[in-house]
Amino acid sequence: MAPQNKHTRELIEATAQAAADHAGPQVNVAIDYVDKYAKLPALAFGVLPSALLMGPYNDARESQLTNLKDGREKLRQMVEGLAQVAFTYWTAEKASTLTADGKEQLEATKPKPARTLAGSIIDGVGVGAVPATVVAAVLLRPHWFFSIATKGASAKSCPIALMSVVV
């Protein structure tokens, strides 16, 4: 394990534990307080103001309670996520520090010479590739001669074709 990363898992787990230890109880107390002690009696604001203010107050209280419960769930997910990150980090560090002791030993061997006349370009194809190349060259030779002759003939007729275009 790299020296700078030696205690990373412990640091991540300590951070998760600190968040759970400090923020968790405070969120639970806030939820209990809003749920138990923030309810007001029906005429808390007086007769007329209670009719106007009690509905919005209860809506705000329920919204706050819902937000606090969502926050507690997000805190729980964060702590579980940090624990998973710590475990994954530890697994990766453990895998990256494995040694090859006791594993199969490989030997470096001398490279094998090429088996074809073409050398390593077609290495591994086999000796049968050279006769195929020779046969292809022999079969294509007449076509090559024909293309050379045609090119020479068309080069001679090019000035005549140019004059006919001008005319």
Side-chain angles (χ1 to χ4, degrees), residues 4 6 15 19 43 56 69 83 86 103 107 132 142 147-148 151 153 157:
Q4 70 270 18
K6 189 169 185 178
T15 303
L43 300 174
K69 288 180 180 178
K103 303 294 181 198
E107 287 186 29
S147 65
I148 294 296
K151 181 181 174 188
S157 64

Side-chain angles (χ1 to χ4, degrees), residues 1-165:
M1 194 178 304
Q4 70 270 18
N5 299 330
K6 189 169 185 178
H7 301 291
T8 304
R9 177 185 183 186
E10 291 85 8
L11 291 174
I12 294 172
E13 288 173 342
T15 303
Q17 192 63 48
D21 289 345
H22 297 296
Q26 292 177 359
V27 171
N28 288 334
V29 167
I31 290 172
D32 287 343
Y33 184 81
V34 170
D35 191 33
K36 294 177 184 175
Y37 304 113
K39 291 181 184 175
L40 294 178
L43 300 174
F45 298 113
V47 177
L48 186 59
S50 289
L52 297 173
L53 299 176
M54 194 53 82
Y57 174 80
N58 285 333
D59 291 343
R61 185 185 149 280
E62 288 299 319
S63 174
Q64 183 66 22
L65 187 62
T66 303
N67 289 340
L68 286 169
K69 288 180 180 178
D70 288 345
R72 179 172 54 189
E73 179 61 24
K74 295 296 182 193
L75 179 65
R76 185 192 63 76
Q77 290 174 356
M78 181 195 69
V79 170
E80 288 178 2
L82 283 172
Q84 182 63 38
V85 166
F87 176 75
T88 304
Y89 194 91
W90 174 75
T91 305
E93 279 298 312
K94 185 177 174 184
S96 69
T97 57
L98 292 177
T99 60
D101 296 340
K103 303 294 181 198
E104 179 184 347
Q105 298 294 323
L106 299 176
E107 287 186 29
T109 58
K110 185 177 180 180
K112 297 177 183 175
R115 295 179 301 217
T116 64
L117 294 177
S120 62
I121 295 174
I122 45 177
D123 190 21
V125 175
V127 182
V130 174
T133 308
V134 172
V135 170
V138 169
L139 290 176
L140 292 175
R141 189 165 178 89
H143 297 288
W144 181 72
F145 279 125
F146 178 74
S147 65
I148 294 296
T150 307
K151 181 181 174 188
S154 64
K156 292 178 183 171
S157 64
C158 188
I160 298 171
L162 184 60
M163 285 195 299
S164 68
V165 168

